[in-house]
Amino acid sequence: MVSVRKSHQLSTNSFEQWLTALDITEAKSEALQTLWSQVHSKFDNDERALTKSLEMVEILAELNLDKDSLCAAFLIPLVDNSTYCLEEIKETFGKQIFMLCKGTHQMQAIKTLQQKQTNKVAANQVDNIRRMLLAMVEDVRAVVIKLAERLCYLRLVKNSEEDIRVIAAKETANIYAPLANRLGIGQLKWELEDIAFRYLHPETYKKIAKWLDGKRLDREQYMVDFVDNLQSQLEAMNVKGTVYGRPKHIYSIWKKMQKKSLDFEQLFDVRAVRIITDQLQDCYAALGVVHTNWKHLPNEFDDYVATPKSNGYQSIHTVVLGPEGKSVEIQIRTEQMHQDAELGVAAHWRYKEGSAHGKTSGFDEKVEWLRKILQWQEDVSESGEVLDELRSQVFEDRIYAFTPNGDVIDLPVGATPLDFAYYIHSNVGHCCIGAKVFGRIVPFTHQLQTGDQVEILTSKKPNPSRDWLNPSLGYIHSARARAKVQHFFKLLDRDKHVEQGKVLIDAEISKAHIESVDLLAAAKRFNMSTIEDLYAAIGSGNARLQQVVNYLQQKYAKSQPEPEIDPQSLVNQQAAQKKPVASDGVIVSGVGNLMTHMAKCCQPVPGDDITGFITQGRGISVHRSDCEQLANSLEQQPEREIEVQWGHQQQKSYQATLQITASDRHGLLRDISTIIANERVLIAGMASHSDSLKQTTRMSFTIEIANSEMLNRILAKLRQLDDVIDVKRLSH
């Protein structure tokens, strides 16, 4: 379900009318009026930015955010389009608004979470995420402003090209909607999900919307009668509560259809009612009234009041069989629970605006999980699993298990007793020898469920097993617990590894005839503080011995004076040692007959700028100079770079992969293959994928060509084909 906001119905000149319609406090209204008088001229040539500013303020006003948040939101589009820089915001509008704008800007780092996880997380990637989290903990209002900005952006791209809408929708569905859910802001969560769903699955969205509209009149009358009946039943039992039908969200309907393999008519929450009570005891009194008058479905009962969701959501859910045997879902909650469910952390900002008796404990609890992530990040940073842990904490479902004393432990879904033990304390995990769930012994691989009472059995001495680190055995699920075990064995074996590493490196230095070495410089080159750390890393296998020796050899060679060379002997030497051309047409500068091969990641062809990388046991790998994988490798091992160039005579063919995106039509494959065949080029491989909903197809062709000129000619001809949207050369 998507809201229609006032900002879409107002002209640029009706700011005062728009401001009056917001229904906000006088202080907020005056702050916005003053801000408008300062910046309105900045919007003269950017109506899109003005629309976005107005809409963001509307969204946040509905969430009860303070005047600084509203002013910061109004300025964010002007920061995004570079009308203002952050320093100008600070000088002109003050520190509070500047900090909110800066925090919102830092939230851009959240996109890092969508990147493909690799074995080693780049340092700047971790740093970006850390800055984002610090901004969120420092002032969670920045998160709410960012979510409002994302919602506005989704609305603004409604009429943009499909690929722009799809990218925005995927980012929202994967990152922003789960974040809104984690912060308990249901009012934004539902709208983000519905718009993203409409962009990603337009046909399914329209079909469900049509189903809802087609049954609307009958359903509305049914719901009016049911609500009136339920309201009268509550009044008869002296239960104070207000009953009304709750709105339907298309994404949630589709999600339930997918999850439970149900048809539309079988869904429970198509007919849904909400009861809002004054006090907690009235919730259970209302539940008694409901179950007394209508038969309920036991499998569809959830008490999130006794066991709240991970985002703090509280409500009682039940499904009953109403008149005519039709199922009706009923949610029961207090007014405070309802505010928390709709506004989440934002619900508590109204209490922080100068109120001496304000409620802050609930607000603090809402963001406590962010502080935990910052602490846990330190635990898992060494293992390179920061993003995995962050994803599990922010964007995955959670379970709640209890200690024998009744303390609640918040765990990711799939957690085991060992995860539970390590979340309590490292020593509890290290000393764990068994576990009981509700008094019954369970194996370490047992997956815990919400509500489980877990007792950890411990020994006096720590004795973790290395088998716990094997992911296929299923002993540990969370990255945090795994990092704790790794750290234990790292410390346990350090002395042994230091000794082994010293023996290994001394032997290699002697073999390489390196007379003077700077091991401290080598340690720092490989991101270690001391020589002992270097020895330990080599002994444990965390650092490669040959890389260290190569570095020391290069450093030693640079420190040696260049010998005097007779000019005539140099001429003779150069004549005898001409640069050899490898079988694949690549000249290796300054080196003898070395084996070379073309890198599969970027598939260089003659004419491309190329760089060589010395591999272990496979000769020299030749990459395009702009290859991302080469850049990553050289960042770790810059000493392995070597100069290479193409030879003058090329008689070898090289493979290149092309990706073609086009509107699906008959004869497209024939036209593409004809162009390639006319260039006398061999097709070595081909694959295609069609999207019936979008009526598009994506094809990849692996072709064998002689040089880059031939490749560019083929690319140009393919781009001229009818219905071709994009043609590009792939880097694997």
Side-chain angles (χ1 to χ4, degrees):
M1 183 171 69
V2 178
S3 304
V4 177
R5 305 195 187 281
K6 306 177 189 69
S7 54
H8 295 283
Q9 303 168 350
L10 296 176
S11 65
T12 308
N13 299 320
S14 45
F15 181 82
E16 289 77 10
Q17 179 185 351
W18 169 82
L19 192 58
T20 303
L22 278 184
D23 190 25
I24 56 179
T25 64
E26 186 176 347
K28 294 178 184 178
S29 182
E30 288 177 357
L32 288 171
Q33 184 68 62
T34 302
L35 184 63
W36 174 252
S37 65
Q38 293 176 275
V39 304
H40 69 88
S41 61
K42 305 290 185 182
F43 291 105
D44 287 347
N45 298 320
D46 198 342
E47 188 174 344
R48 185 184 177 98
L50 175 61
T51 300
K52 189 173 181 180
S53 290
L54 295 174
E55 189 170 356
M56 285 179 67
V57 172
E58 281 188 37
I59 294 169
L60 297 176
E62 293 173 3
L63 296 174
N64 297 317
L65 259 71
D66 62 320
K67 63 182 180 182
D68 286 341
S69 300
L70 300 184
C71 292
F74 198 86
L75 292 169
I76 288 295
L78 294 177
V79 175
D80 290 343
N81 66 11
S82 301
T83 301
Y84 280 111
C85 68
L86 287 174
E87 285 305 315
E88 289 177 305
I89 295 288
K90 186 175 184 179
E91 293 175 6
T92 309
F93 305 105
K95 184 177 179 181
Q96 286 297 319
I97 293 176
F98 159 74
M99 292 301 294
L100 287 170
C101 290
K102 181 183 177 182
T104 305
H105 183 69
Q106 286 176 330
M107 286 288 293
Q108 292 293 342
I110 204 169
K111 291 185 177 181
T112 309
L113 295 173
Q114 295 197 110
Q115 297 178 0
K116 184 177 180 181
Q117 177 71 12
T118 59
N119 291 332
K120 184 72 174 176
V121 181
N124 65 330
Q125 191 176 7
V126 173
D127 190 50
N128 284 339
I129 299 170
R130 188 175 183 84
R131 284 202 302 269
M132 177 196 76
L133 294 173
L134 285 170
M136 294 166 77
V137 172
E138 183 177 342
D139 198 335
V140 78
R141 290 176 295 176
V143 191
V144 185
I145 295 172
K146 183 63 182 178
L147 293 174
E149 185 272 337
R150 175 52 37 168
L151 180 54
C152 294
Y153 178 71
L154 276 181
R155 291 174 161 275
L156 287 172
V157 299
K158 179 180 179 181
N159 298 317
S160 300
E161 296 180 2
E162 185 179 10
D163 58 338
I164 295 176
R165 294 199 309 272
V166 168
I167 291 172
K170 285 182 177 179
E171 187 177 276
T172 299
N174 293 337
I175 301 295
Y176 291 100
L179 184 57
N181 177 60
R182 194 66 175 83
L183 293 173
I185 312 175
Q187 191 166 313
L188 290 183
K189 168 185 177 283
W190 291 118
E191 194 162 358
L192 287 168
E193 287 180 339
D194 272 10
I195 299 178
F197 180 62
R198 184 171 69 185
Y199 292 165
L200 291 173
H201 306 281
E203 296 302 321
T204 307
Y205 181 93
K206 291 175 185 176
K207 187 182 296 184
I208 296 176
K210 186 177 179 180
W211 282 338
L212 286 172
D213 189 60
K215 304 289 185 180
R216 182 171 55 84
L217 293 177
D218 292 341
R219 190 174 63 252
E220 286 182 355
Q221 186 57 50
Y222 183 92
M223 292 309 299
V224 167
D225 294 340
F226 187 89
V227 166
D228 290 343
N229 187 4
L230 179 53
Q231 186 73 61
S232 63
Q233 294 288 348
L234 293 177
E235 292 171 359
M237 299 299 294
N238 295 320
V239 177
K240 294 181 180 180
T242 303
V243 186
Y244 59 89
R246 72 176 179 86
K248 314 300 179 296
H249 302 288
I250 291 177
Y251 174 75
S252 66
I253 290 174
W254 174 80
K255 191 175 178 181
K256 187 161 288 188
M257 290 171 65
Q258 296 295 112
K259 182 179 179 181
K260 299 190 175 183
S261 300
L262 298 174
D263 294 329
F264 181 77
E265 289 296 336
Q266 297 174 291
L267 291 177
F268 301 133
D269 59 354
V270 172
R271 291 171 293 274
V273 168
R274 185 171 286 149
I275 303 174
I276 306 296
T277 67
D278 293 336
Q279 299 179 358
L280 176 59
Q281 55 265 39
D282 291 332
C283 290
Y284 289 98
L287 178 65
V289 171
V290 170
H291 284 183
T292 300
N293 287 275
W294 294 280
K295 181 180 179 182
H296 76 283
L297 305 181
N299 292 336
E300 299 295 332
F301 176 79
D302 293 292
D303 187 352
Y304 296 119
V305 172
T307 308
K309 288 187 177 182
S310 58
N311 58 8
Y313 175 86
Q314 288 184 291
S315 187
I316 298 173
H317 292 192
T318 187
V319 176
V320 300
L321 294 178
E324 303 174 26
K326 294 181 178 180
S327 58
V328 180
E329 184 186 63
I330 301 175
Q331 296 180 353
I332 309 171
R333 61 179 69 154
T334 65
E335 179 63 35
Q336 183 59 55
M337 291 175 189
H338 180 63
Q339 290 294 319
D340 289 347
E342 293 300 303
L343 308 182
V345 292
H348 297 270
W349 278 104
R350 55 183 170 180
Y351 300 117
K352 294 177 74 69
E353 293 187 79
S355 173
H357 56 280
K359 302 178 184 179
T360 58
S361 60
F363 168 81
D364 291 335
E365 289 172 5
K366 293 284 187 179
V367 294
E368 181 61 27
W369 61 277
L370 283 171
R371 297 188 179 96
K372 287 181 180 178
I373 291 175
L374 287 177
Q375 174 193 336
W376 295 339
Q377 185 194 50
E378 296 173 1
D379 294 338
V380 300
S381 58
E382 291 182 356
S383 65
E385 296 175 322
V386 178
L387 293 186
D388 283 339
E389 181 69 5
L390 182 59
R391 285 194 186 100
S392 73
Q393 294 299 328
V394 183
F395 305 115
E396 292 184 6
D397 290 334
R398 312 290 294 169
I399 63 169
Y400 296 88
F402 297 89
T403 66
N405 294 330
D407 296 328
V408 179
I409 304 297
D410 180 3
L411 298 164
V413 169
T416 66
L418 283 173
D419 291 303
F420 182 94
Y422 277 104
Y423 270 66
I424 294 174
H425 196 276
S426 298
N427 287 336
V428 176
H430 293 334
C431 298
C432 180
I433 57 173
K436 292 181 180 180
V437 174
F438 293 120
R440 181 175 59 87
I441 294 287
V442 296
F444 282 155
T445 55
H446 175 80
Q447 292 193 0
L448 301 177
Q449 304 296 322
T450 292
D452 284 351
Q453 186 186 71
V454 185
E455 178 185 354
I456 300 299
L457 308 177
T458 59
S459 62
K460 292 183 178 180
K461 294 183 179 180
N463 189 32
S465 169
R466 292 184 188 272
D467 287 341
W468 294 358
L469 295 173
N470 189 338
S472 63
L473 297 179
Y475 288 115
I476 288 176
H477 176 75
S478 68
R480 183 192 180 209
R482 186 174 296 107
K484 291 287 188 182
V485 179
Q486 289 172 336
H487 185 66
F488 175 86
F489 286 112
K490 182 178 178 181
L491 294 178
L492 182 68
D493 299 334
R494 178 176 171 83
D495 292 343
K496 181 175 66 176
H497 290 156
V498 168
E499 185 179 345
Q500 291 175 344
K502 187 176 188 309
V503 171
L504 288 171
I505 200 167
D506 287 347
E508 287 298 319
I509 289 172
S510 176
K511 190 186 299 182
H513 304 292
I514 304 174
E515 297 178 5
S516 63
V517 294
D518 187 350
L519 289 176
L520 183 59
K524 292 180 178 179
R525 161 64 185 83
F526 293 97
N527 301 318
M528 297 166 204
S529 303
T530 66
I531 296 175
E532 271 202 354
D533 290 340
L534 180 64
Y535 287 152
I538 292 173
S540 65
N542 290 332
R544 293 185 179 180
L545 176 62
Q546 199 57 46
Q547 290 179 6
V548 178
V549 173
N550 288 344
Y551 172 80
L552 293 172
Q553 280 181 316
Q554 289 185 3
K555 193 170 180 62
Y556 174 69
K558 289 179 182 178
S559 67
Q560 300 303 303
E562 294 186 6
E564 293 185 7
I565 301 176
D566 179 65
Q568 184 59 44
S569 64
L570 178 62
V571 170
N572 295 337
Q573 181 181 355
Q574 289 176 336
Q577 296 183 354
K578 291 183 178 179
K579 295 177 181 178
V581 179
S583 60
D584 50 18
V586 175
I587 297 175
V588 183
S589 299
V591 184
N593 187 23
L594 290 179
M595 177 177 64
T596 63
H597 65 273
M598 297 297 113
K600 294 182 179 180
C601 55
C602 54
Q603 295 179 324
V605 299
D608 291 337
D609 289 334
I610 54 175
T611 301
F613 183 82
I614 303 172
T615 67
Q616 287 189 331
R618 295 185 298 112
I620 296 175
S621 176
V622 180
H623 296 255
R624 283 173 21 206
S625 296
D626 60 353
C627 175
E628 291 184 3
Q629 186 166 323
L630 172 67
N632 291 335
S633 300
L634 291 178
E635 184 179 354
Q636 301 293 325
Q637 305 171 34
E639 67 275 8
R640 290 181 174 272
E641 182 179 0
I642 188 168
E643 182 182 346
V644 295
Q645 61 192 64
W646 297 108
H648 297 296
Q649 295 181 350
Q650 307 293 341
Q651 298 180 351
K652 179 180 171 65
S653 62
Y654 299 82
Q655 287 194 347
T657 302
L658 311 181
Q659 180 176 283
I660 304 169
T661 305
S663 299
D664 207 354
R665 65 170 172 83
H666 293 295
L668 178 64
L669 178 59
R670 178 199 60 217
D671 294 345
I672 293 173
S673 57
T674 298
I675 288 176
I676 296 175
N678 287 344
E679 291 293 323
R680 300 182 182 277
V681 169
L682 177 66
I683 299 176
M686 181 262 180
S688 68
H689 174 73
S690 297
D691 189 332
S692 57
L693 289 177
K694 298 178 183 177
Q695 293 296 305
T696 59
T697 185
R698 179 170 292 171
M699 303 181 185
S700 63
F701 291 83
T702 301
I703 59 176
E704 295 190 352
I705 55 175
N707 51 53
S708 59
E709 288 79 13
M710 180 181 292
L711 175 63
N712 291 333
R713 188 164 61 247
I714 293 173
L715 290 172
K717 290 185 178 181
L718 290 173
R719 291 188 180 108
Q720 295 173 5
L721 270 181
D722 291 339
D723 299 314
V724 169
I725 300 170
D726 183 43
V727 183
K728 60 184 178 182
R729 177 183 177 186
L730 288 183
S731 295
H732 294 277

